[in-house]
Amino acid sequence: MIFKATLDRGRKLLTIKSNCVLGADRFDAIRASIMLHLEGTEGWALVIDHSESFPDKLDYRQVNALTEKSKVFDSLMLRNFIVVVHPKHYGFGRMWEIMASNKMRCNTRAFKSIEEAALFLENS
């Protein structure tokens, strides 16, 4: 599995679960899948679970480019955009969160576990 999308229409939640090396091509494919699944919707939460994936040579410039490309999601009027990363890569997740929060209208958060993300969604 490279990634799998799961829609929960009742909760207005799209979850993407990846298990791969994350390079620019994979991020582009995931972004396209999100747009396909959520086109024409508003107020959904998006959870991208990369906890079993590993970035391919990410640095500040590449994280910045990812946040720029993520602005396309503003058209979806997301309520939450959550990224779950392996604890070893939490620094990259936090960097994305901070950068994305300055560029996107929705609430952006990074977490070290899917359980932390689920708890946040329950309380938001």
Side-chain angles (χ1 to χ4, degrees), residues 9-67:
R9 293 189 189 284
R11 293 176 56 206
K12 292 180 85 172
L13 171 66
L14 173 61
T15 303
I16 303 286
K17 172 75 174 167
S18 70
N19 186 343
C20 58
V21 175
L22 294 165
D25 58 334
R26 297 277 164 74
F27 285 117
D28 290 344
I30 290 168
R31 188 176 313 102
S33 179
I34 292 165
M35 293 303 292
L36 181 67
H37 281 89
L38 294 183
E39 187 174 20
T41 67
E42 281 187 17
W44 281 60
L46 171 62
V47 175
I48 302 179
D49 183 357
H50 289 318
S51 62
E52 295 178 10
S53 295
F54 297 92
D56 183 27
K57 303 173 189 161
L58 277 181
D59 59 22
Y60 172 85
R61 183 182 53 77
Q62 290 162 319
V63 173
N64 189 48
L66 286 172
T67 60

Side-chain angles (χ1 to χ4, degrees), residues 26 32 108 111:
R26 297 277 164 74
T108 58
F111 292 97

